[in-house]
Amino acid sequence: MTMIEKRNHKEEASAVNRESRPTILSAPPADARLGPVHHVNQRVTLKSWETLADWEERATELRRHILSCAGLQPLPDRTPLEAELLNPRKGDGFTVWGYRFQSLPGFWVNGNLFTPTGDGPFPAVLNPHGHWQSGRIEHSERGSVPARGVAFARMGAVALTVDMVGYNDSDQVEHRFSGPAEHLWGFGPLGLQLWNLIRAVDFLEELDIVDNARIGCTGASGGGTQTFLLTAVEPRIRVAAPVNMISAHMHGGCACENAPMLRIEANNVEIGALAAPRPLLMASATGDWTVDTPQVEFPAVQQVYALYGEPEQVECVQVDAPHNYNAETRAHVYRFFARRLLDKPDIDVSTLEVPLPCNTEELRLYPRESRPKHALSQSELFDSVKARHRRRMDAPLDSQGAEQIRTELTRLLHWRAPSSDDVRIRVVDEEQLGSRILRRMTLGSQAHGEAIPVLLEWNASLATRVVPSTEGRREWPQAASGPVMLHVASSPSPILNPNRGSRRADETSESAPIVCRLEPFLTGSYVSPAARTGRNTGVTHFEGYNLTDAAWRALDIALVAAWLRIALGRSSHLEAEGEAGPWGLVAMALTGDIESAALDVAGLMDDDRSFIEKLYIPHLLRLGGMRSLIALCAPRPLKLTGLAPELNSVALELYASAGAAGQLSASTEAPAS
């Protein structure tokens, strides 16, 4: 059983055990998140943009989001490439070389460089390949990467073909390496390949024969995904032709095309439009998922180009063929680059592709060439990525650095503090027990359709005020001073007994004027086990299109805290116990509506296994794990129990550095029951 399967099995078993527990509601909430999950093959609704300012605001945010999800925010250091050109062979009007360079210390990028005859400087075209069986040396009827290299060189451009990770000479890692541990650190083939291509542009710029102001990129299928991702984040790409990939109903089936959280509120059409207003060719085929491109995806992208006043800068072509980068498609691309990059609109593309001076296997570097001595294995590369992030996060964290982490965490979790108009409330019932009033309700946002079970109880003697809501005008209690007590537990104590009207005495509720209890996503009153809902966490690349359960639970706490501020005019004191403590820590890091907290963090440590089991939210360890979450809570009063021993002194130092040493109480002991 894999770690993910173990985690899902544990959550399901826990949910089954909760079925007999008394809950806030007598029936499961009508929560939109219990429906079918988003997935790779889901048709998306494409958005149009009213103004250029609106689009550019979205574009700036989306570029940051791509880099963040790829694990490249901030970008790694541009260490020396140590590039080598190897084994040149002369052809008819071109020379083909082997090359290698280091994109990261100990990780080598390999491929072939096709150069024109002459001194240059020449334009250059990057050629990432897709999931062809032979990778960059694929030379078949459906697609030929070497033919592109030859053709671009003969038309007067330097062409660089680049191995995808795990293909041909780039076998230091597997191609589809991915899993919960890697996701926690933002480490995966999408980010590694994107960084390799960014460094490939650096490599081209170091070549004297390249005109750095004229660099383009083209690839098909997975190479098309690489093309539009690179173009989205790399302004040095001036012309692009992603082939058979920009689709509104298939977003890339491989791990190298998916990264955790990347497409939760984004899609390939939007990402492709980030090329605007640079020249872009959307090449498509009738026999794959780009069949609708002329009628659907192309008009949506052209609408963005029209905002710049340059709709003619994006072009569309479709061939009647299955998924391909065949000779017909290549001819369209050659003509496009001839016009847009080389200023040779009259070139005869039918003469460009001529035979190679060698067979395709001889284009490989190995085993003909000796391998670099300092090449990392996959596990060693992962360790080096972790070490890089740890060095960055171990540096002193000032207020600016803390806000940068909070901003990135907010972006990844798609957290938006709601306004009064954003919050949906449905009151289920209300009763008075002695001096206390109990109001049961569900609460959610307009954006996500949550139905979080909430029990609000308050002293009947408190003054009230009328606050408009989605249910109309309703009275809410007003505390004279101090925060509202916000209480959450992963396995709630019996808030209600099965016989309505009798409630267990509770010291917390008796001592606080207002107490709000909630049951976060898939706990307590929710349908359980989760497998009975439409939320199938086992779909391919689930985390690229959906938030994890732990992420939703943290957001539920943050949303309820935000609503308490809106409706009651008070911030919250959060108490979270059991498994809920780590969720509460994330919620407090996200929102200032929680002014203090007492959290049982259940021994959560800054390591892969601990986060997979207790707080599985991709990228959290890359962002600093417990260290960053605690720092984002400072200087607010915080009591931590169940703290891992190795984190006790770290937490104290973080609060001391924030000038709030007296505001933190840290203990490795579990809270008293």
Side-chain angles (χ1 to χ4, degrees):
M1 186 179 289
T2 66
M3 189 63 71
I4 275 286
E5 288 170 336
K6 288 179 180 177
R7 177 168 56 82
N8 289 343
H9 178 75
K10 177 182 177 183
E11 290 179 354
E12 187 166 308
S14 177
V16 170
N17 291 336
R18 287 195 293 268
E19 285 189 37
S20 61
R21 298 178 186 274
T23 55
I24 294 175
L25 298 177
S26 58
D31 195 309
R33 297 172 295 177
L34 298 177
V37 300
H38 298 290
H39 52 84
V40 165
N41 295 307
Q42 181 164 346
R43 187 175 294 276
V44 297
T45 300
L46 300 179
K47 184 176 181 180
S48 61
W49 302 88
E50 295 296 326
T51 68
L52 180 59
D54 289 341
W55 164 251
E56 291 200 324
E57 181 180 0
R58 171 59 175 160
T60 298
E61 182 65 18
L62 188 52
R63 289 189 176 98
R64 290 171 179 160
H65 179 68
I66 292 168
L67 291 173
S68 185
C69 293
L72 299 176
Q73 185 78 341
L75 292 174
D77 292 336
R78 280 180 156 88
T79 50
L81 292 171
E82 298 187 17
E84 297 179 82
L85 289 175
L86 306 164
N87 196 23
R89 289 182 169 87
K90 288 191 177 295
D92 181 6
F94 68 94
T95 302
V96 57
W97 313 67
Y99 74 85
R100 62 188 175 204
F101 65 79
Q102 286 189 112
S103 62
L104 295 166
F107 187 82
W108 294 85
V109 178
N110 308 279
N112 295 107
L113 179 73
F114 296 78
T115 58
T117 300
D119 298 327
F122 304 105
V125 182
L126 266 171
N127 289 266
H129 65 81
H131 295 92
W132 310 111
Q133 184 175 356
S134 301
R136 81 168 195 272
I137 62 173
E138 178 76 16
H139 188 54
S140 64
E141 184 177 345
R142 286 186 63 188
S144 175
V145 183
R148 281 153 49 194
V150 169
F152 281 126
R154 283 172 51 81
M155 69 194 292
V158 172
L160 193 74
T161 66
V162 186
D163 274 342
M164 291 203 294
V165 297
Y167 275 74
N168 295 326
D169 299 312
S170 298
D171 56 1
Q172 289 176 247
V173 300
E174 299 174 355
H175 180 62
R176 290 174 171 84
F177 71 91
S178 182
E182 288 85 355
H183 291 173
L184 283 166
W185 290 95
F187 177 57
L190 182 147
L192 183 56
Q193 289 184 169
L194 182 55
W195 180 243
N196 289 347
L197 291 178
I198 291 171
R199 296 310 318 266
V201 179
D202 294 343
F203 171 57
L204 286 171
E205 288 193 330
E206 289 187 1
L207 299 175
D208 293 337
I209 61 171
V210 170
D211 178 354
N212 294 346
R214 291 190 292 166
I215 297 176
C217 186
T218 183
S221 191
T225 301
Q226 292 176 74
T227 296
F228 66 69
L229 284 172
L230 176 68
T231 305
V233 301
E234 178 53 86
R236 292 178 294 177
I237 298 299
R238 305 301 173 89
V239 178
V243 174
N244 291 16
M245 202 59 236
I246 297 181
S247 168
H249 65 270
M250 206 293 284
H251 312 286
C254 182
C256 80
E257 300 171 272
N258 289 274
M261 301 168 167
L262 176 59
R263 295 183 180 89
I264 290 176
E265 293 185 5
N267 60 72
N268 284 356
V269 180
E270 254 191 328
I271 296 171
L274 292 174
R278 294 165 288 174
L280 176 72
L281 175 65
M282 298 175 65
S284 61
T286 58
D288 68 9
W289 45 85
T290 58
V291 61
D292 298 329
T293 294
Q295 297 79 35
V296 177
E297 291 87 356
F298 172 66
V301 175
Q302 191 175 47
Q303 189 265 337
V304 172
Y305 274 76
L307 295 175
Y308 291 92
E310 300 188 59
E312 73 286 349
Q313 291 287 76
V314 57
E315 301 178 26
C316 177
V317 64
Q318 188 170 77
V319 301
D320 187 11
H323 194 59
N324 75 92
Y325 205 156
N326 63 19
E328 182 182 359
T329 301
R330 294 197 299 275
H332 285 297
V333 173
Y334 298 153
R335 285 190 285 268
F336 175 74
F337 274 92
R339 286 185 287 108
R340 298 293 192 168
L341 190 68
L342 281 81
D343 196 23
K344 296 180 178 180
D346 300 324
I347 195 168
D348 181 4
V349 301
S350 66
T351 65
L352 294 177
E353 294 184 2
V354 297
L356 289 161
C358 58
N359 65 54
T360 54
E361 280 296 323
E362 291 178 305
L363 293 175
R364 297 188 59 169
L365 275 68
Y366 312 124
R368 180 175 289 103
E369 302 291 337
S370 60
R371 290 179 179 267
K373 294 181 180 179
H374 51 296
L376 301 177
S377 67
Q378 183 168 311
S379 61
E380 290 171 334
L381 180 63
F382 190 18
D383 287 342
S384 73
V385 169
K386 292 180 184 180
R388 182 178 81 241
H389 291 310
R390 286 193 178 108
R391 285 193 299 271
R392 179 171 58 87
M393 300 313 304
D394 284 345
L397 192 63
D398 57 19
S399 58
Q400 182 179 2
E403 281 309 306
Q404 289 174 346
I405 295 171
R406 195 192 316 275
T407 297
E408 189 162 1
L409 182 62
T410 298
R411 179 184 302 118
L412 287 166
L413 294 182
H414 300 275
W415 163 247
R416 300 178 184 87
S419 67
S420 58
D421 294 335
D422 297 328
V423 182
R424 303 189 317 167
I425 300 165
R426 183 177 74 88
V427 173
V428 177
D429 63 29
E430 183 176 310
E431 63 181 320
Q432 182 165 350
L433 293 176
S435 63
R436 304 285 284 182
I437 295 175
L438 281 67
R439 182 175 291 170
R440 302 171 187 84
M441 66 190 86
T442 62
L443 187 149
S445 67
Q446 301 285 8
H448 301 300
E450 307 97 327
I452 307 163
V454 172
L455 173 65
L456 187 69
E457 38 178 314
W458 68 91
N459 291 337
S461 60
L462 289 178
T464 60
R465 69 168 180 168
V466 175
V467 179
S469 73
T470 54
E471 276 206 331
R473 300 171 66 83
R474 187 177 288 273
E475 290 187 345
W476 299 98
Q478 298 300 299
S481 62
V484 175
M485 177 72 72
L486 178 59
H487 187 268
V488 57
S490 57
S491 298
S493 57
I495 297 171
L496 299 175
N497 287 325
N499 297 322
R500 292 270 299 277
S502 61
R503 182 173 57 84
R504 189 184 68 170
D506 187 285
E507 292 182 2
T508 300
S509 64
E510 295 301 328
S511 61
I514 304 176
V515 177
C516 182
R517 305 175 188 279
L518 74 140
E519 292 174 337
F521 187 52
L522 290 179
T523 69
S525 298
Y526 280 89
V527 174
S528 57
R532 296 181 188 171
T533 75
R535 187 170 169 80
N536 176 14
T537 59
V539 299
T540 304
H541 309 304
F542 170 84
E543 289 142 16
Y545 301 82
N546 306 272
L547 291 173
T548 63
D549 293 351
W552 275 125
R553 290 163 185 166
L555 290 172
D556 283 358
I557 297 169
L559 180 61
V560 173
W563 171 76
L564 289 170
R565 173 185 51 78
I566 293 169
L568 278 61
R570 295 290 176 186
S571 57
S572 302
H573 168 74
L574 172 64
E575 292 194 351
E577 59 193 43
E579 292 180 326
W583 313 334
L585 191 62
V586 176
M588 190 173 182
L590 285 172
T591 178
D593 292 326
I594 300 172
E595 73 170 45
S596 61
L599 308 173
D600 168 22
V601 291
L604 181 61
M605 298 181 290
D606 269 336
D607 63 41
D608 304 355
R609 179 176 296 274
S610 187
F611 266 73
I612 290 170
E613 292 179 349
K614 301 176 187 295
L615 190 60
Y616 183 59
I617 301 177
H619 297 285
L620 266 191
L621 285 177
R622 176 177 68 84
L623 295 180
M626 285 288 286
R627 182 182 185 277
S628 289
L629 293 175
I630 293 169
L632 293 179
C633 294
R636 292 167 287 175
L638 178 62
K639 178 181 179 180
L640 295 175
T641 53
L643 196 62
E646 61 267 33
L647 290 173
N648 196 69
S649 60
V650 172
L652 293 170
E653 289 172 5
L654 288 168
Y655 259 69
S657 65
Q663 299 287 60
L664 176 69
S665 170
S667 171
T668 59
E669 300 294 326
S673 58

